[in-house]
Structures are given as C-alpha cells and as structure tokens.
Amino acid sequence: MSNLTIFTEFVLMEISSSRELQVMQGLLFLLTGNLVTVTVIVTDPHLHSQMYFFIGNLSLIDICCISVTVPKFIVNSLTGSALISLPACAAQLFLFNFFAATELAFLVVMSYDRYVAICHPLHYGLTITPRLCAQAAGVSWATGLGYSAVHTGIMFRLPFTGSNVIHQYFCDIPQILSISSSDVCFSEFVFIALSIGLGLLCSLLLLISYINIFSMVLNMHSMEARNKALSTCTPHLAVLFIFIVSGIVANLGPIPDKTYLSNLLTGMFYSMVLPLINPLIYSLRNREINTALGRMFNRCF
C-alpha cells in the first residue's frame, strides 16, 4: 500500500489547440439561446402559463448543464492546461448528473402536461394548476438532487490509485468508472441497473402519454386542430428522443482506453450541443414565443 500513488487531480483531453476553435467554443457558450428563452418567459405576462413554466425550467436546466462543463473546458483550452482537481471533478460529475436527471424528470412531467392539454382540454385548467406545477417542479429538482448525490458518493467513495487520465474533455461517468477500483465498479453497476429500471419506468410513462396523445390526434376531424396539437407536442418529443438516444450512446457504449475523435464528439454532443439546440426546437416552432421575443426587442430598442 505504501507504493500506491493516490491521485488528487486528473488529466483531461484537449479537443483542439486551434485558437480560432477555442474562440468559437467560447462564443457558442455565450450565445446560448436558453437565456433568451428564460428571459422572455419570465418578463412577458402572456407566457405566464403552465406550459411555458415547464419550458422555462427546461431552458434553465440547459443553461446550468452547459455551465458545468464548458467554462472549465474553455479556461483549460485558453491556458493550455489539462488538469482538474479531484474536488472539482467530483463537483462537475455531481452537477452534470443533477441537471441531467432533473431534465429527464421534467420531460416526463411535460409529457403528462401535453397529454392533459390535448386529450382533456376542458379539464386542463382544473388538472394542471399552478400549485401542481410548483409541486411537480419541486419533485423533479429533488429527484435529480438525490439521484446525483448517491451516484457521486458511490463513484468517489474510494481513492483513485490506478490512473488519472480521463479520455474526455470533462469528468464523464464512463471515464471515471474506467479508472475506479473494482469495489466501486461493482457498486456502480448495481446502481446503474437500478437506474436503468427507473429509466424504463419513465419511458413507460412517456410511452403511455404519447400513445394516448397520438390516438386522440388521429381521431380529430379538424385539420387545423390536428396541426395545432402536433405543433405543441412534436418539439417536446424531438427533445425527448435526442436526449434519451444521446444519453444511451454516451453512457452505455464501450469505454475506450484511448482518446478517439468519435468519443470526444459524442461527449460534446450530449453535454454542449444538445442544450444549445433545445431552445431552437422550442422557440422557432412556437408562435407565441416568437411574438413575445418581438415585443421584448421592441421594448429594448
């Protein structure tokens, strides 16, 4: 045991040493549309409804998710450093898991919101009340917090002695697991099995909601009503599909022992690109948000 080296910092991998690409990465972080979406929903009274309450929370989660990994990545790129301390790595893993789990919980809640809005429109105001929205948001945030706390505690309960090289630009679960001890790996695999069970339960709830939604849409005789119903649920369905598929590919795929461009691009997609395209999916297809954006810019300029 006296010959073992206990690591207190990790070595992250750089994506590019190009100054132009580093500046572009910084601009992508600063120009995120999620902040605009949150601002317009909070400031415009016309968007103070249940649906936009959930969209605003989802945009806030995306802002937080990007803020966990991208600033450290930009600082390391600009300074030429590739190091991250053990506490910073644990914090990064905790926060990223926290926001990812919370986003999944919100997507499940939003699917039920769309189900009530489309299948039971006359009872929507009585069922999806502001109090219920606040309670659902609180449960979603609390679920993400509890899940991430247990997950991070399992991953970092023993010191790292084998290697401190992470073949990713941030502290990712598969990469941390690949350099953990066998005891941590066993505990993590048990927790992952439980997580998959919870994920399947969430998928079942989502499937039930959307089966009912599309059954109702297909039975609508009015083409205008059908198009309106589809326009409210297809953005949410697109975000949900991209979120689940990218998470499965990134976390359940093979763990490489070297740095591959495909692995780096996969990590960038679900940690950076996905939160950036969410506001585009919601805002560009939503007439009320576009109208509110126009009113906000008219007030400002």
Side-chain angles (χ1 to χ4, degrees), residues 16-38:
S16 174
S17 59
S18 169
R19 183 66 60 178
E20 291 79 7
L21 184 57
Q22 292 166 355
V23 172
M24 185 186 71
Q25 291 157 356
L27 289 176
L28 281 175
F29 172 65
L30 294 175
L31 295 178
T32 175
N34 291 291
L35 185 59
V36 177
T37 303
V38 173

Side-chain angles (χ1 to χ4, degrees), residues 167-217:
H167 299 289
Q168 188 56 269
Y169 78 95
F170 68 101
C171 292
D172 198 14
I173 294 176
Q175 294 296 326
I176 296 296
L177 189 60
S178 66
I179 59 176
S180 299
S181 67
S182 57
D183 291 337
V184 171
C185 289
F186 176 76
S187 301
E188 179 64 14
F189 286 141
V190 173
F191 187 75
I192 287 176
L194 295 175
S195 300
I196 291 174
L198 291 175
L200 291 175
L201 178 60
C202 293
S203 300
L204 179 62
L205 295 175
L206 291 165
L207 183 63
I208 292 173
S209 295
Y210 276 101
I211 287 176
N212 290 324
I213 287 173
F214 284 108
S215 297
M216 178 63 68
V217 170

